[in-house]
Amino acid sequence: MLSSTLLNIAEKVQAGERLSFEEGVALFETDQVAWLGHLADSVRRRRHGRTTFYNVNRHLNPTNVCYWDCTFCSFYRKAGDPEGYTYTVDQAVAEIRPSYEAGITEIHIVGGLHPTLPFEYYLDLLRGLKTAFPKIHLKAFTMVELDHFKRITRLSEDEVIDRLVAAGLDSCPGGGAEIFAETVRKQICKHKCGTNRWLDFSKRVHLKGLRSNATMLYGHIESLADRVDHMIRLRNLQDETKGFQCFIPLAFYPKDTELAHLPGPTAIDSLKTIAVSRLMLDNFDHIKAYWVMLGRQTAQLALHFGANDLDGTVSGGGPLVATYSLDGAAQCKSTRDDIVQLVLDAGLEPVERDTLYQPIHPVQRETEVVCA
Ligand code: V47
């Protein structure tokens, strides 16, 4: 039996009305999971029908050396650690080449905040990749990295963005948002760029005409109210700029982190989070079920809980992808056929997209993609 609050929410959703903070929390608190999924699915189908996007992409993590110490992160290494690495531009190009030849359309680039690499390194990296692979979309650097570039160069935000664009930047990924609630941020990433800086940099990126994504790291020490608060802060900025392409809830993966004592989110929690985000983020076109962190099976179910995008093949993995792969490092890449089959088996229609969500038609492809 649904409460009057939930019945009222369903009516608002069907009428296309915006949900409040309290309503978002009520959605998280309900145990009517099938009802919640159905409601989110109705919004997903109204917007996208059976269309389910994926792309053929590759992650590149130019360095794992980082001077901060986020408690949820097992990827970073301190400078001098024997497991630390930093690619030269030539190494990065060589690393990408096989995926390029296999037909990727996007390189997703994020890395640690290296204590000594100059801004010029990152510009050279973009230039080197753009020269070697001119048609590939470079989705590079989170708002945390842009903030780092601003601090090491003392340039303005706009100058940082302009120089990156001149070197080949096409759009930005959504990482580093974690959880916006300041009390939680203080505990899990106290040194990292703050909430307002993250949001402000996103705004400036959007005002420059670039698109970016937004993530939320959930399933650690945050409350359900913190998750709804996070979504509403993004929704407010999206009202202003319309620059976010998609929202990606990232399921916390505790292994080898300082928070390894935590269990991480359950599948039900992940499905509810996808559904609530679809319902709260009425001005976001796309909700992404990032299969690497959710695991393939939960990601597939998420397509019936409001998600309409699976991210990409992430071919060749990359160390960060391997670190957080729920299905195990060996399973952190999929062929195009794997993803297509996952969507078909969910009774939905797979559509390959480019980074900006334009469908890629098979005739546009010069080669068949085999990305394993
Ligand atoms: O910024 C760090 C998160 C992010 C853990 O924009 C963790 O299309 C889970 O941002 N467990 C990187 N998550 C990944 C990311 C992303 C992924 C896919 C698509 C897009 C996009 C962006 O991963 C980091 C951080 O927020 N993260 N540690 C962890 N233990």
Side-chain angles (χ1 to χ4, degrees):
M1 180 76 176
L2 288 178
S3 68
S4 59
T5 308
L6 294 185
L7 286 171
N8 190 40
I9 291 175
E11 276 175 26
K12 282 179 80 172
V13 169
Q14 297 315 342
E17 287 172 33
R18 178 160 280 192
L19 300 182
S20 67
F21 171 82
E22 290 74 18
E23 288 165 335
V25 174
L27 286 173
F28 264 122
E29 285 176 344
T30 184
D31 57 5
Q32 304 280 335
V33 181
W35 170 82
L36 177 63
H38 184 66
L39 191 63
D41 188 52
S42 71
V43 174
R44 179 248 206 260
R45 283 180 192 256
R46 196 157 70 203
R47 282 174 168 268
H48 301 288
R50 294 168 58 242
T51 298
T52 303
F53 289 112
Y54 69 95
N55 70 346
V56 178
N57 67 346
R58 164 71 214 235
H59 285 227
L60 174 71
N61 311 123
T63 181
N64 65 350
V65 176
C66 188
Y67 54 74
W68 289 149
D69 47 4
C70 300
T71 58
F72 56 81
C73 181
S74 60
F75 170 70
Y76 79 90
R77 295 289 178 274
K78 290 285 174 210
D81 187 310
E83 290 180 358
Y85 74 85
T86 302
Y87 292 148
T88 62
V89 173
D90 286 348
Q91 284 172 326
V93 169
E95 173 92 8
I96 294 298
R97 190 164 299 281
S99 309
Y100 169 73
E101 283 164 4
I104 54 164
T105 61
E106 166 192 286
I107 310 174
H108 175 142
I109 308 170
V110 292
L113 304 184
H114 194 287
T116 54
L117 281 178
F119 187 40
E120 206 51 42
Y121 166 83
Y122 301 91
L123 299 175
D124 285 345
L125 180 67
L126 293 176
R127 281 189 212 107
L129 291 167
K130 218 34 168 197
T131 306
F133 317 117
K135 288 194 193 148
I136 303 289
H137 183 110
L138 300 182
K139 181 176 85 176
F141 309 131
T142 66
M143 299 308 115
V144 175
E145 288 165 287
L146 297 193
D147 184 55
H148 166 69
F149 300 153
K150 176 179 154 54
R151 281 188 290 115
I152 61 173
T153 57
R154 298 172 188 241
L155 293 171
S156 70
E157 286 90 345
D158 283 356
E159 283 169 314
V160 167
I161 300 166
D162 287 344
R163 289 189 193 195
L164 291 167
V165 169
L169 179 76
D170 294 307
S171 71
C172 294
E178 321 312 358
I179 275 281
F180 290 144
E182 283 79 2
T183 46
V184 177
R185 224 175 161 81
K186 260 191 215 143
Q187 293 175 70
I188 62 170
C189 52
K190 63 173 180 261
H191 297 116
K192 199 173 219 166
C193 106
T195 297
N196 292 338
R197 301 278 319 127
W198 193 96
L199 290 168
D200 189 50
F201 240 121
S202 299
K203 182 172 171 174
R204 287 166 190 273
V205 163
H206 298 167
L207 293 178
K208 289 275 174 195
L210 294 187
R211 310 301 301 273
S212 72
N213 294 336
T215 58
M216 175 180 78
L217 183 67
Y218 68 93
H220 43 92
I221 59 164
E222 86 292 357
S223 67
L224 298 178
D226 292 332
R227 296 187 200 177
V228 180
D229 166 72
H230 189 95
M231 292 175 195
I232 289 182
R233 295 197 210 203
L234 288 172
R235 189 171 77 180
N236 290 343
L237 180 56
Q238 180 75 331
D239 276 343
E240 265 187 69
T241 67
K242 301 186 176 41
F244 289 118
Q245 302 207 94
C246 74
F247 179 67
I248 313 141
L250 297 174
F252 174 55
Y253 186 72
K255 191 166 173 274
D256 298 329
T257 72
E258 278 182 51
L259 300 175
H261 56 285
L262 298 175
T266 61
I268 289 290
D269 191 12
S270 290
L271 294 173
K272 286 173 85 175
T273 305
I274 293 272
V276 176
S277 61
R278 179 59 289 166
L279 293 166
M280 292 303 293
L281 294 174
D282 52 14
N283 52 6
F284 275 62
D285 283 339
H286 307 287
I287 303 292
K288 189 185 279 188
Y290 184 44
W291 64 268
V292 174
M293 286 183 195
L294 283 175
R296 284 181 177 79
Q297 294 184 353
T298 306
Q300 188 185 39
L301 271 172
L303 299 177
H304 287 280
F305 276 72
N308 66 297
D309 184 12
L310 277 179
D311 196 76
T313 50
V314 300
S315 63
L320 186 57
V321 173
T323 304
Y324 299 133
S325 171
L326 194 75
D327 293 334
Q331 295 295 317
C332 69
K333 52 193 177 186
S334 280
T335 64
R336 186 164 171 268
D337 288 350
D338 290 338
I339 300 236
V340 165
Q341 199 56 49
L342 207 67
V343 177
L344 289 174
D345 288 345
L348 297 164
E349 186 191 341
V351 174
E352 186 184 339
R353 62 166 174 85
D354 66 14
T355 309
L356 302 177
Y357 286 86
Q358 297 305 309
I360 292 178
H361 301 288
V363 282
Q364 284 172 255
R365 283 212 159 279
E366 288 161 16
T367 53
E368 185 49 31
V369 181
V370 184
C371 293

